[in-house]
Amino acid sequence: MTDNHLMWENLGMDVKTHDILCEVLPQAFGDVYLTQENRPNGMDYFNMVVGDIHGLRPAELIKLQEEEGKKVVGTFCIHVPDEVVFAAGGIATGLCSGSQFWVPGGEKVLPTATCPLIKASLGAHFDKTCPFFRICDLFVGETTCDGKKKAWEILSEDAEMYIMDIPQMKRPQDFKKWEEEIRNYITKIEEITGNKVTEESLKEAIVISNNKRKALQRLNNFRKLDNIPISGRDVLLIHQIAFYDDPTRFTEMVNKLCDELDKRKEEEVSVFEKGTKRILLTGTPLSIPNWKLHQIIENSGGAVICEEMCTGIRYCEALVDESGENIDEMVENLAERYLGHINCACFTPNKARIDDIIRLAKEYKADGVIDVNLKFCNIYDTEGYFVEKAMAEAGIPCIGIETDYTDEDAEQLKTRIGAFIEML
Ligand code: BJ8
C-alpha cells in the first residue's frame, strides 16, 4: 500500500491522531470480513477500496480537483440528489461517519445526547481526522432531524455549507416545494462548479445514478433466494462504499460480482447453512465502518437478507423516471423520487415505511425483523411504536434494539439477538 502520510499532511489533517484509526481499522475489518468462508471473488475490489479507504479515493479526488478543476461536494443524507452534482461536472461523496473513533470529537461541540452519526460526522471534521471532510469544496446539509439541523449551524462556522430544506410531509405542495429546493440547489452547484446543468448533462446523470441503483438492486435480489450466495455483511459493505466510489466504476464492479453470483445461483451455492434464520433490518443507517450488528447476527445463526435503511434498500430500490425531456420535467422526476420514495422517519405520517417493511419481509422471506435505532435518534425511536405494532398484526416476529458505535453493549446484544433468532 502506498504511504498516504504526505497527502494527509497536505490536507492539514491531524496525522498522529489519524494514525490510531489506521491501526485499528484493518483489525476490525479482518475480524468482521476476512474470517468469512466462501466469499465471492468479486469482493476483492471492495476489500481493496475499504482496505485503503482514506488513501485511494481521496488521492483520486485530489487529482481530479487539481488536474481537471473538479469540485467535490459532500453530503449527509440520501435526500440530496447526486444527479445535480454529476450534471455540473462535480463529484458527490457521502460524509456520514460510522465509527466511535470520531464521537468524542463531536461531543466537544454537541450535546452528549446527540445521535452518534451526527457526533461522529462533526468529530471527523473538527478533529481533522477524515480526508473526505478536508477535500470537499462544499458540504450539503438538510433539515431532516433536529440534531442534524442544529449541527449544520456549528459545522458552518468552519466550512462552506449549503442547506436543503426538506419538507416533512408529502402533500402536493410539499412536492412543489422540494422541486423549488432542487432548482435552487442546481443554481448553487452551478455557481460552485462554474458549469451549467444542461438537459443533456442532467439526463446523463440520471441514467448514471439509475444504473448504480439497478446494479445494487440486482445484488439485493440474490438475497431473496433460498440459497443465499453472499453474506449480509458483504452486501452492507458494498452499500456503504456506494456513497464514496466513482459511480460508473462502482456499477461495473457490482455487476461483475453479480455475474459471479449468477453462477452461484445456478449451482445453488449458499454462504449460509441450511436453516439459517433470515433477518430483515430496519431503522437508522449503518455508516461505514459500522458493521457491529451484521457481525453479531451472522455469528449468531442468522443471515441478514435485507436492510430497510438508507444504507440499503432506501438508497437503491426506487429509480428516477428517465423520460423527462427538459430540465423542468427532470426536476419534477427527481423530486418525485427523492421525496416520494424515501420513507425516512422525519416525515409525518410515514406509513409507507411500515408498508415497505411488510412488503420486503415477504419478498425476502424474512423469518424476523430487527428494528434498529441509533441511540438518541428520537424520530426512529418513536416510529418503533408503529413498526412493532404492524409486525405483530402481520404475524412477523420483531424486536427493537437501540445501540451506538461503542462495543460496550456487544455482549448484551449477542444475548438478545441470539435469543431472538433461537425463538424464530
Ligand atoms: S433519509 S435516515 S440519511 S435523515 S440517525 S442523523 S435521523 S438522529 S441519518 Fe438519515 Fe437522511 Fe433520514 Fe436516511 Fe438524525 Fe436519526 Fe441520527 Fe439520522
Side-chain angles (χ1 to χ4, degrees), residues 165-195:
D165 185 11
I166 180 107
Q168 313 271 283
M169 294 179 82
K170 296 184 183 182
R171 303 161 300 182
Q173 63 265 43
D174 298 311
F175 282 89
K176 284 282 156 234
K177 178 183 156 53
W178 190 235
E179 277 177 39
E180 197 50 40
E181 283 296 312
I182 294 176
R183 264 187 221 106
N184 293 339
Y185 185 45
I186 291 177
T187 308
K188 177 67 188 179
I189 294 296
E190 286 179 335
E191 187 189 301
I192 285 275
T193 58
N195 297 325

Side-chain angles (χ1 to χ4, degrees), residues 76-80 96 114-118 142-149 152 166 243 283-285 287 309-311 314 342-347 373-381 405:
F76 299 87
C77 175
I78 66 163
H79 279 293
V80 177
C96 285
T114 303
C115 106
L117 188 148
I118 303 175
E142 38 16 87
T143 55
T144 43
C145 66
D146 287 353
K148 277 180 160 183
K149 260 187 292 214
W152 306 148
I166 180 107
F243 288 82
T284 45
S287 304
M309 293 175 156
C310 294
T311 42
R314 268 185 239 145
I342 300 174
N343 300 315
C344 175
C346 68
F347 293 104
N373 193 54
L374 273 177
K375 206 167 172 186
F376 303 121
C377 176
N378 274 330
I379 50 176
Y380 278 89
D381 197 10
Y405 289 170

Side-chain angles (χ1 to χ4, degrees), residues 78-113:
I78 66 163
H79 279 293
V80 177
D82 284 348
E83 287 88 340
V84 171
V85 179
F86 298 147
I91 305 162
T93 187
L95 287 175
C96 285
S97 308
S99 168
Q100 177 63 22
F101 180 79
W102 291 300
V103 169
E107 286 176 345
K108 286 184 208 152
V109 291
L110 289 162
T112 313

Side-chain angles (χ1 to χ4, degrees), residues 36 134 160 174 210 243 245 262 279 416:
Q36 297 180 95
R134 309 295 301 165
E160 184 172 358
D174 298 311
N210 272 349
F243 288 82
D245 205 358
D262 268 334
I279 305 296
R416 279 197 69 204

Side-chain angles (χ1 to χ4, degrees), residues 13 54 62 68 93 103 112-113 189 199 245 247 258 319 328 381 394 410 414:
M13 287 173 62
H54 281 184
I62 294 167
E68 296 180 31
T93 187
V103 169
T112 313
I189 294 296
E199 277 173 13
D245 205 358
C258 289
L319 302 177
D328 280 348
D381 197 10
K414 276 182 207 162

Side-chain angles (χ1 to χ4, degrees), residues 177-232:
K177 178 183 156 53
W178 190 235
E179 277 177 39
E180 197 50 40
E181 283 296 312
I182 294 176
R183 264 187 221 106
N184 293 339
Y185 185 45
I186 291 177
T187 308
K188 177 67 188 179
I189 294 296
E190 286 179 335
E191 187 189 301
I192 285 275
T193 58
N195 297 325
K196 266 262 158 277
V197 170
T198 64
E199 277 173 13
E200 291 72 33
S201 69
L202 191 53
K203 205 175 183 63
E204 194 190 334
I206 289 172
V207 171
I208 288 173
S209 299
N210 272 349
N211 287 345
K212 174 164 143 178
R213 296 181 183 113
K214 284 180 199 164
L216 281 168
Q217 194 48 46
R218 184 179 169 206
L219 175 65
N220 279 312
N221 285 339
F222 288 104
R223 306 167 88 189
K224 296 176 181 170
L225 298 170
D226 290 336
N227 291 308
I228 311 167
I230 184 163
S231 68

